[in-house]
Amino acid sequence: MACNFDVGVIYYPKEINGRSMFERSRKSRISSRVMKFSTGVSAVAANPVRTSEERVYQVVLKQAALVREEKRLSKALSSHTKRKGSKTLDTSENDGVGMKSWNLLNEAYDRCGEVCAEYAKTFYLGTLLMTPERRRAVWAIYVWCRRTDELVDGPNASHITPKALDRWEKRLNDLFDGQPYDMYDAALADTVSTYPVDIQPFKDMIDGMRMDLKKSRYQTFDELYLYCYYVAGTVGLMSVPVMGIAPESKATTESVYSAALALGIANQLTNILRDVGEDARRGRIYLPQEELKLAGITPEYIFKGKVTDKWRSFMKGQIKRARMFFDEAEKGVAELSSASRWPVWASLLLYKQILDAIEANDYDNFTKRAYVGKAKKLVSLPLAYSRALFAPSIVSKHTN
């Protein structure tokens, strides 16, 4: 985003008549509005048709519809069971094959938990508050996402080709069809057969990896938004069906999924701002070229990595936008089931502090890596836990 300019175009998450930008009707439009920045310069924030948002919101609607249908079928089944009487499974009829498969599946989930504990310690700690079934499913999703990301960012990334990603997508399709390739796949296959998880966010994440293979510049924020959805916003859409929405929540299903999407966007924007220098050394610039140009910043400027007042002003605007996505995300966290809120709150609060760290580094994200120290993490955990205790809003105008 461009600050330190006369007139520019900046896109922000916003609300229209009380509805988030993710909930608005496709016919709803606002021509423009004026925003005031810390520099004291007024800028017109145009709001044209945003194809990427509209495209992504269709995935949100599809997932929300899937969840509502699952609820309807669950209620119908529960009502039928009460009328007919429940039947207890007689394990004495089991020939041992089913029990053997169950033991292997338990081992698969345990392996996923070990990976999560090693690479996402804080998040893993939060998942321990979930029910055993939910936390295992979240572990399985986390491992699949990590394996997918490793394809383009891992030690063998230089050998990954588009065909390799095509094979990974075929493997995903087989997994959703109940044909896992290995133990980690088996855990996810069981998860997606148990919870109303749609395959589209998984496919979209693979598309995000394809973008990383062929694209190192993003001309507009609209382009960058789609990339952020692919590589991070998808995680929220995968996870919320497992985490569950609180029974007492008055929020719409779509609004909760939109908030999960916003958290993914916010996290990825934060990653981008934190890693500007690291990405530049790899020849990549994930900041919108259009906004850089308006701010008078060239690619060569970024490759040189010199912090100036012009850069500080630019970064202030970028951080402001990321925080607005975090604000959008907070609206939905309280609507999750009580046992699922803590890890989400912890992730949100810790990632927001990375933005604080960038500011503390005087916006030098070229040579300094912004991070949250262990002491601050420890302070954030009880804060996240206290927020997780709050019940969903009871003043929402919408109902599921």
Side-chain angles (χ1 to χ4, degrees), residues 217-236:
R217 302 285 192 281
Y218 292 86
Q219 290 302 312
T220 65
F221 181 71
D222 189 61
E223 287 185 14
L224 184 62
Y225 174 90
L226 186 61
Y227 172 75
C228 289
Y229 158 69
Y230 280 157
V231 300
T234 49
V235 179

Side-chain angles (χ1 to χ4, degrees), residues 131-326:
T131 62
E133 296 79 11
R134 291 184 188 275
R135 70 167 169 254
R136 298 195 322 167
V138 169
W139 292 343
I141 291 173
Y142 169 83
V143 168
W144 186 88
C145 291
R146 181 170 183 83
R147 294 176 85 187
T148 303
D149 183 67
E150 286 280 311
L151 292 175
V152 297
D153 277 337
N156 297 317
S158 59
H159 303 293
I160 294 298
T161 65
K163 286 186 177 180
L165 291 176
D166 291 342
R167 289 193 295 270
W168 186 249
E169 183 167 0
K170 181 184 182 304
R171 181 168 171 163
L172 173 70
N173 289 324
D174 290 343
L175 183 159
F176 266 78
D177 287 337
Q179 301 174 34
Y181 283 50
D182 62 17
M183 187 170 282
Y184 297 120
D185 283 356
L188 184 59
D190 183 65
T191 291
V192 301
S193 69
T194 304
Y195 296 93
V197 181
D198 185 46
I199 194 173
Q200 192 59 50
F202 293 83
K203 287 178 172 288
D204 288 342
M205 177 172 279
I206 295 174
D207 278 342
M209 302 305 112
R210 290 189 176 103
M211 291 177 75
D212 268 331
L213 289 182
K214 63 183 181 181
K215 197 175 178 70
S216 60
R217 302 285 192 281
Y218 292 86
Q219 290 302 312
T220 65
F221 181 71
D222 189 61
E223 287 185 14
L224 184 62
Y225 174 90
L226 186 61
Y227 172 75
C228 289
Y229 158 69
Y230 280 157
V231 300
T234 49
V235 179
L237 301 188
M238 298 172 189
S239 304
V240 174
V242 172
M243 293 183 171
I245 298 174
E248 65 272 25
S249 173
K250 302 300 180 183
T252 62
T253 304
E254 289 86 349
S255 69
V256 178
Y257 280 92
S258 294
L261 169 62
L263 179 56
I265 300 293
N267 285 347
Q268 187 59 25
L269 288 176
T270 300
N271 285 339
I272 289 170
L273 298 181
R274 179 194 62 195
D275 299 339
V276 169
E278 180 181 323
D279 290 331
R281 286 187 286 276
R282 297 164 58 199
R284 295 178 174 274
I285 299 176
Y286 287 97
L287 301 166
Q289 298 295 301
E290 180 181 80
E291 298 177 8
L292 285 168
K293 185 177 180 180
L294 286 170
I297 298 173
T298 64
E300 290 71 23
Y301 180 104
I302 293 176
F303 292 138
K304 289 180 180 178
K306 185 177 180 180
V307 178
T308 63
D309 287 341
K310 183 187 296 185
W311 178 253
R312 293 185 184 94
S313 295
F314 176 81
M315 284 302 303
K316 286 177 183 178
Q318 296 292 322
I319 289 173
K320 179 177 181 179
R321 177 163 55 197
R323 283 179 173 147
M324 292 179 75
F325 275 101
F326 277 121

Side-chain angles (χ1 to χ4, degrees), residues 60-76:
V60 172
L61 292 176
K62 184 180 179 182
Q63 178 62 78
L66 192 63
V67 171
R68 283 196 298 269
E69 178 64 11
E70 179 76 7
K71 286 183 179 179
R72 187 188 68 78
L73 292 175
S74 179
K75 288 181 180 178

